[in-house]
């Protein structure tokens, strides 16, 4: 497939341009060329050195990540930034990033995946960032006990060994759920 066509399809599906003024991460192609062909694409959460090495070892023609390298601009390309950028350029491995657009996508986004796990229906956008949203709000057909909800999340999500935390207040059963897959503190009032 043509690289430019692939990146254009991602931009269109994820509505990359809609988040241009509200996300500190420049979404879309962050590093590399739109020119060329691709057969194998690697997907990861972070554009860390190990991720880039794994993509190169797998023979990927492009790397798509949720967290990229550039956040609000680059002042210098030295140290850790250089160590991540240099192999991308040397190996002609483009880096495509989708941060908030992937958080907020209603069907293939991160919040949508958690909403699927929780079997949430009657979904609507949640978590306003300017004119866009970064999460989902939905309802369970059957309310679930907070302990059972915590166990479900712990069993099904890779939490990096951190476990699932619950706060000791609020209702004992949950029916209506707001899902944000990044830092959600800014939307507590909206959730209430």
């Amino acid at each position: 497939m043509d690289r430019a066509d692939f990146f254009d399809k991602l931009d269109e599906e994820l509505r990359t341009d809609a988040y241009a003024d509200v996300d500190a991460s420049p979404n879309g192609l962050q590093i590399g060329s739109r020119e060329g062909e691709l057969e194998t694409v690697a997907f990861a959460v972070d554009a860390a050195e190990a991720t880039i090495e794994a993509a190169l070892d797998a023979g990927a023609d492009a790397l798509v990540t949720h967290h990229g390298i550039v956040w609000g601009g680059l002042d210098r390309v030295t140290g850790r930034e250089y160590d991540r950028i240099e192999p991308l350029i040397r190996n002609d491995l483009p880096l495509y990033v989708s941060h908030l657009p992937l958080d907020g996508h209603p069907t293939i986004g991160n919040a949508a995946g958690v909403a699927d796990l929780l079997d949430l229906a009657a979904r609507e956008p949640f978590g306003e960032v300017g004119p866009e949203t970064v999460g989902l709000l939905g309802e369970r057909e059957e309310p679930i006990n907070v302990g059972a909800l915590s166990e479900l999340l712990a069993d099904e999500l890779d939490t990096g060994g951190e476990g699932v935390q619950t706060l000791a207040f609020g209702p004992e059963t949950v029916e209506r759920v707001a899902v944000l897959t990044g830092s959600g503190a800014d939307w507590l009032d909206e959730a209430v």
Side-chain angles (χ1 to χ4, degrees), residues 120 140 142-147 149 171-178:
L120 300 182
R140 289 181 49 89
E142 298 290 324
I144 187 170
N145 175 281
V146 171
L149 175 65
E172 290 184 24
T173 59
V174 176
E175 183 174 357
R176 200 162 153 81
V177 180

Side-chain angles (χ1 to χ4, degrees), residues 1 34 45 48-49 65 84 91 96 114 159 171 180:
M1 175 178 217
R34 292 173 50 85
V45 175
E49 286 180 58
T65 65
R84 292 190 292 170
N91 293 285
Y96 182 97
V114 174
T159 61
L180 292 163

Side-chain angles (χ1 to χ4, degrees), residues 20-106:
D21 294 331
V22 297
D23 197 346
S25 172
N27 296 292
L29 185 62
Q30 270 195 2
I31 297 171
S33 172
R34 292 173 50 85
E35 304 298 320
E37 297 291 317
L38 56 84
E39 291 182 20
T40 304
V41 179
F43 292 85
V45 175
D46 296 307
E49 286 180 58
T51 304
I52 294 165
E53 288 175 22
L56 290 168
D57 289 345
D61 301 308
L63 174 60
V64 177
T65 65
H66 181 55
H67 299 130
I69 294 174
V70 179
W71 294 88
L74 281 174
D75 293 328
R76 302 180 197 297
V77 180
T78 60
R80 192 174 78 174
E81 285 79 15
Y82 177 83
D83 292 340
R84 292 190 292 170
I85 293 170
E86 188 274 333
L88 293 169
I89 294 171
R90 177 173 29 90
N91 293 285
D92 190 27
L93 180 68
L95 173 64
Y96 182 97
V97 176
S98 186
H99 183 239
L100 293 184
L102 187 58
D103 282 329
H105 195 281

